[in-house]
Amino acid sequence: MVVIFVFVSAVVLALFGALHWYVWRRLVRDTTPKGSLLRRAGSVLFVAGPLLSMAAMTAEGDAVPFLLQRILAWPGYLWMALFVYLLLAVLAGEAVRPVLRRWLSRRGSGANPRQPVLPPVQSTEEQTGNSGAKELVSAAELPAATEHHGDSDAGQGTTGHVAVLDPPQTPEPTPSAGTDPTGPSRRLFVSRVVGGAAAAVAVGTVGYGTYGVLRGPKVKRVTVPLARLPRSAHGFRIAVVSDIHVGPILGRGFSQRVVDTINATQPDLIAVVGDLVDGSVENLTPAVEPLAGLRARHGAYFVTGNHEYISGAEPWIEKVRDLGLRPLENARTELPGFDLAGVNDVQGEEEGQGPDFDKALGDRDRARTAVLLAHQPVVIDDAVRHGVDLQLSGHTHGGQLWPGNYLAELANPTVAGLERYGDTQLYVSRGAGVWGPPVRVGAPSDITVVELASMQA
């Protein structure tokens, strides 16, 4: 197993390095002069970025001081998101390059060449009969140079001045704008245009995605009709929040923003559906304290997510209880009009604390409506077998970073939104926070107010 792990790690690192080299080549080497300040700066960025990313991932856990985790998390995880979109933009640019080169070539070949201009007479030669010496004369002296002087005696030499003109020279054609007869300049121009556009798109995408996270989740409202819900419970509103992920990146300020947003909806009940934290109770107690301010007529309930088991589920269950939330550990409570049940996350199976549907739902009155809180959507089949009317889940983040939603679809029955499975409906929230990069693209964060609607006359 160790050999396989080492081999897989080596392959992943090699691929990681090769992709960085490819993007560096396109964005830095192909667009900057050798030895220039820009090339050196770009090269430093493409070395420091992946190193910070690996450091941020390996720093998670109680073995590393929490302050160091916070210092590494922002630049390390931001680089991960930025590199994803740099890579996608550069790959898209490969399709643009030949089109741009062809356009430039046609534009250059279609330009009107300049008319050749004859140069002025540059020199003449004076031929001497006796010595054969040559003497330069100007164009102004040409008339005199054509006259013959001398003695008619056969014994004396004859001297004559003859103008000798160089043949006209055709000048080298001057390249017109947009042409490049040699090639390198055109290639450099194309590389800079495509590389600059790729970098601008990637930076803009990540910047906007980061702004969306820091701004906080928006409220989404969904009405769910339930056949067995009595008229007395019609209009009951549940504020569903999942995947807050309080940790090294999102701290106390973000927690307070989530609490304020939930309380502003004035819900009847609050459901915190797992992945509340990324870290230990010791490190994150100040950051989660605002959760004590959650207010709802029928209280706030909590079920564990996979990250609670990574961070220490038992201490966190006690902590949320201290904050005024009621944990549902494979348990059920009766509310006016319906039963509210909750199951532990499937990650708890490794500790013998996984979901137990029989314990949570086995002895209930099947005539009553059942609403289930379960962090991961994958337990929907168990919910169907136990006659659950509505399952509320999170976990997927809606994919968080496009095109991650396509990967999330491979592992989850529903990535986001409301879908029906037999007589059971499943609603999956995109979550309030983030895991890893503090960026969301194509999957905005949300807090959902689910309004239950009775179908009984």
Side-chain angles (χ1 to χ4, degrees):
M1 291 297 295
V2 175
V3 174
I4 295 176
F5 175 78
V6 171
F7 174 76
V8 172
S9 299
V11 171
V12 171
L13 286 175
L15 179 62
F16 189 65
L19 291 175
H20 273 79
W21 177 85
Y22 163 68
V23 177
W24 168 84
R25 176 186 172 188
R26 282 307 196 196
L27 295 185
V28 179
R29 195 195 73 172
D30 291 353
T31 61
T32 58
K34 185 177 182 180
S36 66
L37 179 61
L38 284 176
R39 177 171 291 193
R40 290 197 295 268
S43 299
V44 168
L45 180 64
F46 271 84
V47 172
L51 290 178
L52 284 170
S53 295
M54 290 187 289
M57 288 187 290
T58 56
E60 294 180 349
D62 294 337
V64 179
F66 187 63
L67 178 60
L68 180 58
Q69 293 182 39
R70 297 183 64 184
I71 292 172
L72 293 173
W74 270 99
Y77 284 118
L78 269 179
W79 173 258
M80 289 176 62
L82 179 61
F83 179 73
V84 166
Y85 290 104
L86 286 175
L87 176 61
L88 292 175
V90 168
L91 289 173
E94 298 294 355
V96 177
R97 287 175 183 273
V99 176
L100 186 55
R101 288 198 190 105
R102 193 175 300 114
W103 179 78
L104 288 173
S105 177
R106 290 178 179 177
R107 183 171 179 266
S109 62
N112 294 325
R114 295 187 180 185
Q115 298 295 330
V117 179
L118 292 176
V121 177
Q122 296 178 350
S123 63
T124 60
E125 294 182 355
E126 182 180 356
Q127 297 180 349
T128 305
N130 292 333
S131 60
K134 295 181 180 180
E135 178 180 343
L136 296 177
V137 294
S138 66
E141 297 173 325
L142 286 179
T146 59
E147 298 179 3
H148 294 274
H149 301 281
D151 195 294
S152 60
D153 294 339
Q156 295 182 349
T158 302
T159 304
H161 298 278
V162 181
V164 180
L165 300 178
D166 288 335
Q169 301 293 323
T170 302
E172 294 293 330
T174 302
S176 29
T179 64
D180 184 4
T182 57
S185 296
R186 181 180 298 165
R187 287 194 296 271
L188 180 61
F189 174 76
V190 170
S191 294
R192 287 179 173 175
V193 169
V194 175
V201 168
V203 171
T205 299
V206 172
Y208 184 76
T210 304
Y211 165 75
V213 171
L214 296 180
R215 179 188 55 199
K218 291 187 175 181
V219 175
K220 182 178 180 181
R221 298 180 184 274
V222 176
T223 300
V224 180
L226 300 174
R228 291 183 294 186
L229 187 73
R231 292 292 300 172
S232 60
H234 180 80
F236 192 98
R237 291 173 297 117
I238 304 174
V240 181
V241 58
S242 72
D243 303 280
I244 301 175
H245 286 285
V246 177
I249 290 180
L250 301 177
R252 184 184 180 95
F254 186 79
S255 297
Q256 187 63 60
R257 198 171 299 119
V258 169
V259 169
D260 293 342
T261 303
I262 292 173
N263 288 344
T265 67
Q266 298 181 334
D268 296 306
L269 183 144
I270 299 169
V272 181
V273 196
D275 280 6
L276 171 63
V277 292
D278 279 318
S280 66
V281 171
E282 179 183 1
N283 289 332
L284 296 178
T285 290
V288 298
E289 284 176 348
L291 295 175
L294 288 172
R295 296 289 181 267
R297 186 159 57 101
H298 292 279
Y301 291 82
F302 170 80
V303 293
T304 55
N306 54 307
H307 282 254
E308 270 72 59
Y309 290 97
I310 296 172
S311 303
E314 291 185 7
W316 274 115
I317 289 171
E318 292 304 316
K319 185 62 185 179
V320 297
R321 185 177 282 113
D322 292 342
L323 293 171
L325 283 74
R326 179 176 173 181
L328 290 175
E329 301 178 81
N330 297 323
R332 181 182 76 255
T333 185
E334 292 186 2
L335 296 173
F338 66 95
D339 293 340
L340 180 69
V343 291
N344 296 344
D345 185 68
V346 295
Q347 183 76 27
E349 293 175 350
E350 298 181 2
E351 303 177 15
Q353 300 176 11
D356 189 335
F357 283 84
D358 289 334
K359 183 179 178 181
L361 297 163
D363 59 348
R364 75 179 188 87
D365 181 2
R366 289 281 186 123
R368 287 173 57 86
T369 297
V371 176
L372 174 70
L373 308 184
H375 177 63
Q376 298 195 38
V378 293
V379 300
I380 183 62
D381 292 336
D382 292 302
V384 173
R385 282 194 295 270
H386 287 81
V388 169
D389 296 272
L390 173 63
Q391 176 180 320
L392 302 174
S393 298
H395 182 65
T396 67
H397 296 209
Q400 186 168 325
L401 296 174
W402 182 92
N405 54 304
Y406 298 110
L407 297 176
E409 287 177 357
L410 299 177
N412 298 277
T414 298
V415 174
L418 182 67
E419 290 188 358
R420 177 178 289 275
Y421 295 84
D423 293 330
T424 302
Q425 296 185 73
L426 169 65
Y427 179 77
V428 181
S429 168
R430 292 190 178 95
V434 293
W435 178 78
V439 184
R440 280 180 174 265
V441 177
S445 57
D446 66 64
I447 292 170
T448 305
V449 176
V450 174
E451 183 172 331
L452 307 183
S454 173
M455 298 177 64
Q456 298 183 10

